[in-house]
Amino acid sequence: MQIPDFLKNFQEYFVEAPSPLAPSSYVQAVLLRRVHDFSIFRTEEDRGLNTITLPKNTKDPSLIERLVFLYTKQKSAERRHAEQIIRRIKPNADVCYLKDNLCLGCPVCGLNGGIKAVKGLGEVSLRSRILYATAYSLGVFDASTDLLTFNAVDEKTTKTDQALGDREAILPTVTFPSIVTFQAPTWKELVFGLRYILETSRYGAETRGFGLVKNHLVGLIFANSELITPLDLTLRVNDEMDPLESREKDITTEELKEKTDTILKNILKEEALPSKYLSDNIELNIRNFDLNEEFIDLMYSDVQKMTDEIKSK
Ligand SMILES: [Zn+2]
């Protein structure tokens, strides 16, 4: 299977086959994660939203409170969606799911890694080559949240109680600039990874379904190290968009994508390290890519080679 045209100029950053000893070659996907409904991102156990105080922008160090979109929350929701894609395309594939039944043989495990007990070998582990980072809201906490009243739901019976509960929820249009980094991916892994990220829409606690988000891909940075972080990105956008003023409702997704694209080009110039950047039509190209069975089968055989290599050592 040939590398698609839109990735041809970036061949030197891809590996032929995934390897546990990955070279320092990185593809950073710059995303905008935009909330589309009253949302709560939290794990099943903890309560309330995660926040942090951070500078206002790159020039003004005064601290403001922002919302946090934890990397663990992003990764687990997206991994789950990736598993669903595999089940759709290959219904008879080995069962694989978080967190106690990972197969270590599928494309999702190949990218995300995991640990599994194998007869005669003890524990086999695969490291993750898709690297997540916590993202920070563009707007200040007060402008990005509201106190909603819910019918309290009994967690065990899922029956609605009479009692009402108040809960802080993230408002629609709140946006988290985010980076997901692929370390030494094959071109197939990059396409597959980006595709399942773009398709993922639910980030709330699993039993509740809260947390509707639309993901947008601004661009890809190809380099020999990780050149930018989500914090860089949020602060840079805030140089131009006051975090105290905005809920981001006044700006369209398209405008925000363009603004971020320009900021990225400027950051890369300043970094002055060798890199390549791709943003033209990238989201559309990934969304339109034909994820068929042949493609997924080729990914399976790549992972098989990698796990065989690990087991033979
Ligand atoms: Zn798996």
Side-chain angles (χ1 to χ4, degrees):
M1 191 174 274
Q2 292 292 311
I3 187 168
D5 284 344
F6 65 92
L7 291 175
K8 276 215 170 102
N9 289 334
F10 308 92
Q11 301 236 32
E12 72 261 38
Y13 292 97
F14 297 115
V15 292
E16 276 295 312
S19 162
L21 296 172
S24 73
S25 168
Y26 296 86
V27 186
Q28 294 196 282
V30 179
L31 301 153
L32 295 173
R33 302 181 182 279
R34 201 160 214 211
V35 173
H36 274 240
D37 192 2
F38 297 96
S39 291
I40 298 173
F41 308 138
R42 57 182 185 90
T43 53
E44 306 280 347
E45 307 81 39
D46 61 45
R47 304 193 71 78
L49 298 171
N50 297 105
T51 64
I52 187 172
T53 50
L54 286 172
K56 209 173 146 193
N57 55 43
T58 65
K59 292 162 189 126
D60 180 351
S62 54
L63 295 175
I64 60 166
E65 189 177 18
R66 296 177 191 271
L67 285 160
V68 165
F69 195 165
L70 285 172
Y71 72 97
T72 47
K73 201 79 228 183
Q74 301 167 33
K75 180 166 181 162
S76 57
E78 285 164 8
R79 182 172 191 153
R80 264 187 216 107
H81 186 75
E83 287 158 7
Q84 290 167 16
I85 293 178
I86 299 286
R87 286 200 285 273
R88 170 167 60 83
I89 298 174
K90 286 188 75 67
N92 297 323
D94 272 355
V95 180
C96 176
Y97 56 87
L98 278 176
K99 55 188 181 13
D100 300 322
N101 208 344
L102 300 178
C103 72
L104 294 202
C106 73
V108 186
C109 289
L111 255 182
N112 286 268
I115 298 176
K116 183 188 176 182
V118 178
K119 258 192 199 141
L121 286 172
E123 272 189 349
V124 173
S125 71
L126 264 186
R127 56 183 291 239
S128 181
R129 287 176 305 112
I130 182 167
L131 312 169
Y132 280 79
T134 294
Y136 310 100
S137 61
L138 277 182
V140 68
F141 176 82
D142 286 343
S144 306
T145 57
D146 205 356
L147 204 57
L148 296 186
T149 305
F150 293 90
N151 283 322
V153 175
D154 185 298
E155 302 272 349
K156 281 221 181 81
T157 63
T158 68
K159 276 189 186 133
T160 310
D161 208 298
Q162 287 305 314
L164 295 177
D166 283 338
R167 211 163 282 160
E168 211 93 52
I170 307 171
L171 295 171
T173 72
V174 167
T175 306
F176 296 85
S178 168
I179 313 253
V180 176
T181 302
F182 295 76
Q183 189 184 0
T186 64
W187 71 262
K188 294 187 203 75
E189 287 177 319
L190 181 70
V191 169
F192 177 64
L194 293 173
R195 176 62 168 271
Y196 75 68
I197 291 171
L198 288 177
E199 279 191 19
T200 305
S201 56
R202 291 288 174 179
Y203 292 84
E206 247 186 306
T207 49
R208 295 169 183 276
F210 261 138
L212 183 61
V213 171
K214 259 194 165 175
N215 292 306
H216 302 278
L217 178 59
V218 179
L220 299 175
I221 300 166
F222 299 79
N224 299 321
S225 58
E226 293 184 78
L227 294 188
I228 76 163
T229 68
L231 181 60
D232 289 334
L233 204 54
T234 290
L235 297 184
R236 285 294 282 254
V237 176
N238 280 150
D239 288 345
E240 295 170 32
M241 252 180 75
D242 188 342
L244 300 179
E245 300 273 298
S246 71
R247 225 170 104 199
E248 300 85 285
K249 62 182 176 185
D250 297 333
I251 183 162
T252 66
T253 303
E254 218 33 60
E255 280 174 293
L256 203 51
K257 275 180 84 174
E258 275 167 32
K259 204 185 268 290
T260 309
D261 184 41
T262 310
I263 289 168
L264 282 172
K265 287 172 181 159
N266 290 334
I267 294 179
L268 292 177
K269 249 182 251 160
E270 291 161 25
E271 282 292 335
L273 283 165
S275 67
K276 284 185 176 180
Y277 180 63
L278 168 64
S279 58
D280 290 343
N281 289 322
I282 184 63
E283 180 168 343
L284 198 65
N285 281 326
I286 297 295
R287 287 192 190 275
N288 286 341
F289 189 87
D290 181 20
L291 277 193
N292 54 31
E293 195 169 355
E294 185 200 356
F295 177 89
I296 297 294
D297 281 342
L298 286 169
M299 290 195 77
Y300 263 96
S301 63
D302 280 349
V303 177
Q304 187 65 52
K305 278 178 224 152
M306 175 163 65
T307 47
D308 286 349
E309 192 185 325
I310 293 169
K311 284 177 193 167
S312 68
K313 276 176 187 143

